[in-house]
Amino acid sequence: MSGFAGCKQKLETEQEEYLLDRVRVPVIQGGMGIGISLSGLAGAVAKEGGIGMISAAQIGFREPDFYKNPFQANLRALKTEFEKARSMAPEGVIGFNIMVAMRRYEEYVKAAVSAGADLIVSGAGLPVNLPGIVKNAEVECGRENRTLLAPIVSTEKAAEVILKYWSKKYGVLPDLLVIEGPLAGGHLGFSVKQIEEYQGEAYEEEIGKILALVHTHEERYDKKIAVAIGGGIGTQEEAERAFSLGADLIQVASRFVTTEECDADIRYKMAYVNAKEEDIVLTKSPVGMPGRAIRNGFLERVMSGEQIPHGSCLGCLHKCSPGEIPYCITEALIHAAKGETEEGLLFCGAHAFRAEKIETVKEVIDSLVKMRV
């Protein structure tokens, strides 16, 4: 490489190394919305040396004007939650999880950059234009340090699209690639058929293909791409398996729900503790994406085909048609976060039923990667 492109690549590599040096434990906490991973959880994880993630999804749901002006409420809360998390972990690595499927995605990304996010993790769709949005936002707000970029992919095909498009159009590669497997919670990047097919060794083969693509691009552009593997990781053995496959970090979400620091209501946390294996089911969100959740009264109604009345559109997902959906996912997730567990949608990972008690963030991290710290 030569000329400006080579200089730019060198500067970005130096910035990446500096931020990764701040990560004392190889754990990134998965973003969980609505209101499950806010400043309390993200700040606690960052304080312990991991990467704390705030979910931007309807982040302002507790603001007094949320139902009148959700977008402005969300922007205000986004800044407030980041500042709270930063005050908890001044030297920690804190970012935002921002779904591509969100309406006004570009504006949320710009707000996260302006707030000072160390990185942006983006999935629920392919964030093909993320580098351009972030670069423009950095210029507009006069930001000096670079925001790290971390797309979420689930298949070799998705990884190939991101790696080729970003390198060709923007001259950059991801700083972190998050490989999210079929055992993850919430919206999943697979069809129901793929979820059935990608079990055990079958998905490990897919991870191997993704990592081969990553290594090819690392060699071609002389840049290290950190890789996180997530989905169903809840024990030290599962963590070590991910590291043995080639992960630099593990992404963990469900284990952090049942922590003292998690921002959800205690009744939400206890729904995990009380769940049995047969209570964890696949469902379809109002926008047609498959997801994983805990069976409860609300989900029984949804799965029976009942149309659940909802209020006016709150502008969450761009593929949503308010007049056609069986229920409002924003309302369902807000009910859950507030502890109204029989009226809400309880997203979770495949192994959420393993939870037996409420722990601290430190206890969870130590149980996963203590030998690596």
Side-chain angles (χ1 to χ4, degrees):
M1 296 180 67
S2 61
F4 177 74
C7 294
K8 181 179 180 183
Q9 195 67 62
K10 181 180 179 182
L11 287 173
E12 291 185 356
T13 301
E14 290 173 349
Q15 178 72 8
E16 177 195 33
E17 290 171 351
Y18 167 67
L19 284 171
L20 289 181
D21 283 344
R22 291 163 54 191
V23 180
R24 300 195 308 274
V25 294
V27 175
I28 177 169
Q29 160 248 314
M32 296 172 283
I34 296 170
I36 309 304
S37 62
L38 298 175
S39 57
L41 179 55
V45 172
K47 185 177 180 180
E48 292 300 326
I51 299 177
M53 297 301 302
I54 300 170
S55 171
Q58 302 292 52
I59 191 172
F61 74 100
R62 290 194 177 101
E63 294 289 305
D65 61 338
F66 174 73
Y67 289 95
K68 291 183 178 180
N69 195 343
F71 178 64
Q72 291 301 325
N74 287 336
L75 291 186
R76 193 163 56 247
L78 187 148
K79 185 174 186 295
T80 300
E81 290 295 328
F82 182 80
E83 289 173 348
K84 288 179 182 178
R86 176 58 73 211
S87 69
M88 294 172 62
E91 303 300 321
V93 180
I94 302 167
F96 283 96
N97 181 292
I98 306 178
M99 298 186 295
V100 178
M102 288 170 60
R103 293 189 186 183
R104 307 183 81 160
Y105 170 75
E106 182 171 342
E107 291 165 276
Y108 284 115
V109 169
K110 289 182 176 181
V113 171
S114 180
D118 292 315
L119 78 163
I120 292 173
V121 175
S122 194
L126 289 179
V128 290
N129 297 318
L130 183 60
I133 299 170
V134 167
K135 179 58 68 177
N136 289 337
E138 290 171 340
V139 172
E140 288 174 9
C141 70
R143 181 166 168 165
E144 295 182 1
N145 61 321
R146 195 171 61 85
T147 311
L148 296 189
L149 309 179
I152 297 175
V153 299
S154 295
T155 63
E156 177 192 17
K157 181 178 180 180
E160 185 173 24
V161 169
I162 289 292
L163 293 169
K164 285 187 175 180
Y165 191 82
W166 282 20
S167 59
K168 182 177 181 179
K169 182 167 184 177
Y170 298 108
V172 302
L173 292 174
D175 300 283
L176 170 66
L177 189 75
V178 179
I179 303 175
E180 199 168 272
L183 300 180
H187 286 125
L188 302 171
F190 303 92
S191 66
V192 173
K193 182 180 179 181
Q194 285 177 316
I195 293 171
E196 295 172 351
E197 293 175 348
Y198 283 138
Q199 297 294 323
E201 291 184 2
Y203 193 65
E204 289 187 358
E205 290 179 9
E206 190 72 9
I207 291 174
K209 294 176 182 177
I210 296 172
L211 290 174
L213 269 175
V214 168
H215 296 326
T216 297
H217 281 74
E218 286 178 326
E219 293 175 2
R220 182 178 300 162
Y221 295 98
D222 191 25
K223 172 174 169 127
K224 166 66 179 173
I225 304 172
V227 173
I229 293 177
I233 298 176
T235 67
Q236 185 176 335
E237 292 72 23
E238 288 162 349
E240 287 301 322
R241 182 59 184 166
F243 290 127
S244 73
L245 292 174
D248 299 292
L249 306 96
I250 52 170
Q251 178 180 268
V252 179
S254 290
R255 277 294 304 276
F256 285 119
V257 170
T258 51
T259 59
E260 295 175 6
E261 298 92 338
C262 177
D263 298 273
D265 187 275
I266 183 60
R267 291 168 291 182
Y268 185 103
K269 301 175 188 181
M270 291 308 298
Y272 275 52
V273 173
N274 296 327
K276 299 179 176 60
E277 185 171 4
E278 58 267 27
D279 295 326
I280 313 301
V281 297
L282 289 174
T283 185
K284 183 181 290 186
S285 84
V287 294
M289 298 170 68
R292 182 173 280 111
I294 297 175
R295 185 189 297 270
N296 62 354
F298 172 82
L299 205 55
E300 291 283 0
R301 295 168 63 191
V302 170
M303 294 173 74
S304 70
E306 181 179 340
Q307 292 286 125
I308 300 176
H310 57 82
S312 58
C313 181
L314 295 167
C316 58
L317 303 178
H318 61 71
K319 290 185 179 180
C320 179
S321 299
E324 303 174 5
I325 55 175
Y327 66 94
C328 172
I329 193 166
T330 286
E331 290 182 359
L333 291 173
I334 287 175
H335 280 306
K338 289 182 174 180
E340 300 160 359
T341 54
E342 285 303 306
E343 290 78 47
L345 179 61
L346 302 168
F347 272 152
C348 68
H351 299 153
F353 66 91
R354 292 176 179 172
E356 297 179 346
K357 60 182 180 179
I358 304 299
E359 304 173 276
T360 66
V361 163
K362 185 179 187 311
E363 287 171 336
V364 170
I365 289 176
D366 285 349
S367 73
L368 292 169
V369 295
K370 186 174 183 179
M371 300 303 292
R372 286 181 170 261
V373 178

